[in-house]
Amino acid sequence: MTENDQGNVPSRQRKRFPGISSRAYEHPADRSALVALRKLSGFDTVFKALSGLLPERSLRLLFLSDSVRVSDAQFSHLNDMLRDACYILDLEKVPPMYVTQDPKPNAMCIGLDEPIIVVTTGLVELLDEEEMRAVVGHEVGHALSGHSVYRTVLLFLTSLALKIAWIPLGNVAIMAIVTALREWFRKSELSADRAGLLVGQDVQASMRGLMKVAGGNHLHEMNVDAFLAQADEYEKAGDLRDSVLKILNVLPRTHPFTTVRAAELKKWSENRDFQRIMDGHYPKRSEDKDASVTDSFRESAGHYADTVRTSKDPLMKLVGDIAGGAGDLAGDLGGKLRNAFGGGQGPRKPDADGTEGDGRSGPDGDTGGAQSEA
């Protein structure tokens, strides 16, 4: 970013994150996929080949000819927000941004060679300055993560695969790919929401923006706490039939439901990881090449396991109970097998207090093994 790009002073002082890696704010499931893609051997070669096949140049010309490009002369307040967002997240090159006529509130970040940010007139007219700042930060977060690149490539590969779906079991395989891709898309949106909060640094503005996307420009009729309560009610309400319906409702979507996004962002804003970033402790872009794919996948798996364990959804609770029961059963069977084949602990003998124990008392009389919980 040039000195002129950094010349505009934001309306209030915000913290800046020099050299920040997108890994700092990425959702665990999003991060694991991105780390793996960045490490994928030969990806750059495939990327260059695909660049010539995709209609990206046509898309750029379309926005240039039929939308309004944000600049100092046009939508200057959006231009200030864009440069401010790039300055805060230390994105060196400010991506071009366009406003396109569409009454539906929306924004997107697309492109292979370089990202393009597009916002609709419906969104510009709906949000106030601080709410819009969070949206611009959201899109800059997509650009910093490289979401526009990987999304475009994977969408192309999915489209290509659909043409060979006539192969036996092809539809099953394609649906598995599409389902996994959409799950990643949804998690990447949660990542970008976090980037928007890092740029705006106003959680209430982020909440208001999501509420407006859901219910329109009627803030005097809405309440943040009540809106977040909807997400909690949505998660735990109903029985197993509702759980299945929720899965079917979300499968075709590329974005999580708005109340869910608000609840996820609120939870992250209260997390110590967010506070550490605000205090200046975060992974740097210069360290991205050393990021461990294994650690990223382990963190992602841990997130999903934690989601199942803490979820209030009836189906997720059932899955957690079954998994816990299976684990207990496996442990019991394993113990019996070890004893049967002489690999166990041997005959149990009385502890010092005369009760039956495992005979492995520690120096203070405590057992050396792990104690079972009630």
Side-chain angles (χ1 to χ4, degrees), residues 22-33 35 187 191 194 268 271-274 276-277 283 291-309:
S22 59
R23 291 181 292 117
Y25 58 79
E26 284 162 355
H27 185 280
D30 176 30
R31 187 188 311 128
S32 62
V35 169
K187 295 302 184 284
S191 298
R194 296 174 178 184
W268 188 71
N271 188 288
R272 64 185 181 88
D273 292 337
F274 171 71
R276 282 180 57 81
I277 296 174
S292 169
V293 177
T294 303
D295 289 345
S296 297
F297 275 109
R298 186 181 297 117
E299 186 178 354
S300 178
H303 164 78
Y304 280 111
D306 185 63
T307 298
V308 171
R309 186 175 64 254

Side-chain angles (χ1 to χ4, degrees), residues 18 29 32 36 51 53 153 244 365:
S32 62
S51 296
L53 299 175
V153 170
V244 173

Side-chain angles (χ1 to χ4, degrees), residues 257-276:
F257 292 116
T258 316
T259 58
V260 174
R261 289 174 63 184
E264 287 283 340
L265 185 60
K266 185 70 162 57
K267 182 166 63 175
W268 188 71
S269 72
E270 298 167 349
N271 188 288
R272 64 185 181 88
D273 292 337
F274 171 71
Q275 192 55 55
R276 282 180 57 81

Side-chain angles (χ1 to χ4, degrees), residues 28-181:
D30 176 30
R31 187 188 311 128
S32 62
L34 291 175
V35 169
L37 283 170
R38 290 163 186 153
K39 295 274 187 177
L40 192 61
S41 177
F43 181 80
D44 288 343
T45 303
V46 175
F47 166 73
K48 291 175 182 177
L50 288 175
S51 296
L53 299 175
L54 294 166
E56 183 177 1
R57 295 180 68 88
S58 174
L59 199 60
R60 291 178 183 278
L61 289 171
L62 179 63
F63 285 119
L64 185 63
S65 64
D66 206 32
S67 299
V68 177
R69 183 163 59 191
V70 171
S71 66
D72 285 332
Q74 302 184 118
F75 290 100
S76 59
H77 71 292
L78 293 181
N79 196 44
D80 291 344
M81 289 182 197
L82 176 62
R83 292 194 288 192
D84 188 31
C86 292
Y87 178 72
I88 289 173
L89 293 181
D90 200 15
L91 186 64
E92 293 184 1
K93 188 172 183 180
V94 179
M97 181 174 177
Y98 293 90
V99 177
T100 189
Q101 172 62 33
D102 187 342
K104 184 177 180 180
N106 198 12
M108 56 184 170
C109 181
I110 56 175
L112 277 174
D113 291 332
E114 62 180 38
I116 303 174
I117 296 174
V118 181
V119 296
T120 65
T121 52
L123 190 67
V124 174
E125 293 163 3
L126 178 65
L127 305 182
D128 67 24
E129 179 180 346
E130 292 301 307
E131 296 156 6
M132 193 68 199
R133 190 181 297 276
V135 169
V136 173
H138 175 111
E139 301 306 326
V140 170
H142 276 314
L144 182 58
S145 286
H147 287 150
S148 62
V149 174
Y150 300 117
R151 284 180 168 201
T152 306
V153 170
L154 289 175
L155 281 173
F156 175 80
L157 294 175
T158 302
S159 176
L160 184 66
L162 286 171
K163 297 177 182 179
I164 58 171
W166 55 269
I167 296 175
L169 297 179
N171 281 330
V172 176
I174 294 304
M175 283 309 300
I177 294 172
V178 171
T179 299
L181 181 58

Side-chain angles (χ1 to χ4, degrees), residues 116-373:
I116 303 174
I117 296 174
V118 181
V119 296
T120 65
T121 52
L123 190 67
V124 174
E125 293 163 3
L126 178 65
L127 305 182
D128 67 24
E129 179 180 346
E130 292 301 307
E131 296 156 6
M132 193 68 199
R133 190 181 297 276
V135 169
V136 173
H138 175 111
E139 301 306 326
V140 170
H142 276 314
L144 182 58
S145 286
H147 287 150
S148 62
V149 174
Y150 300 117
R151 284 180 168 201
T152 306
V153 170
L154 289 175
L155 281 173
F156 175 80
L157 294 175
T158 302
S159 176
L160 184 66
L162 286 171
K163 297 177 182 179
I164 58 171
W166 55 269
I167 296 175
L169 297 179
N171 281 330
V172 176
I174 294 304
M175 283 309 300
I177 294 172
V178 171
T179 299
L181 181 58
R182 284 175 177 161
E183 169 65 5
W184 173 54
F185 273 23
R186 290 189 291 270
K187 295 302 184 284
S188 73
E189 288 301 320
L190 298 179
S191 298
D193 283 344
R194 296 174 178 184
L197 179 57
L198 289 176
V199 167
Q201 299 174 23
D202 184 346
V203 68
Q204 291 301 315
S206 295
M207 294 293 107
R208 292 198 310 268
L210 288 169
M211 283 198 304
K212 284 185 175 181
V213 169
N217 194 14
H218 304 283
L219 277 180
H220 62 288
E221 298 285 354
M222 294 185 279
N223 177 276
V224 172
D225 292 334
F227 188 67
L228 292 172
Q230 288 182 227
D232 186 61
E233 181 180 350
Y234 168 77
E235 182 183 4
K236 67 183 180 182
D239 53 22
L240 292 180
R241 293 170 298 179
D242 296 294
S243 297
V244 173
L245 289 173
K246 284 189 279 188
I247 293 173
L248 294 176
N249 284 339
V250 79
L251 279 179
R253 294 175 60 92
T254 56
H255 286 57
F257 292 116
T258 316
T259 58
V260 174
R261 289 174 63 184
E264 287 283 340
L265 185 60
K266 185 70 162 57
K267 182 166 63 175
W268 188 71
S269 72
E270 298 167 349
N271 188 288
R272 64 185 181 88
D273 292 337
F274 171 71
Q275 192 55 55
R276 282 180 57 81
I277 296 174
M278 295 303 295
D279 290 340
H281 305 293
Y282 50 81
K284 300 295 179 65
R285 219 168 298 160
S286 58
E287 303 163 351
D288 283 349
K289 63 181 182 301
D290 300 320
S292 169
V293 177
T294 303
D295 289 345
S296 297
F297 275 109
R298 186 181 297 117
E299 186 178 354
S300 178
H303 164 78
Y304 280 111
D306 185 63
T307 298
V308 171
R309 186 175 64 254
T310 61
S311 177
K312 301 172 185 176
D313 179 82
L315 180 58
M316 291 297 101
K317 289 174 69 175
L318 177 62
V319 170
D321 291 343
I322 291 174
D328 292 341
L329 179 61
D332 291 342
L333 288 174
K336 291 177 180 178
L337 287 172
R338 284 193 298 272
N339 287 331
F341 289 96
Q345 300 168 2
R348 298 172 69 84
K349 58 185 179 181
D351 282 334
D353 61 0
T355 59
E356 185 177 293
D358 60 9
R360 293 184 299 166
S361 296
D364 297 323
D366 294 330
T367 56
Q371 297 183 12
S372 61
E373 297 180 350

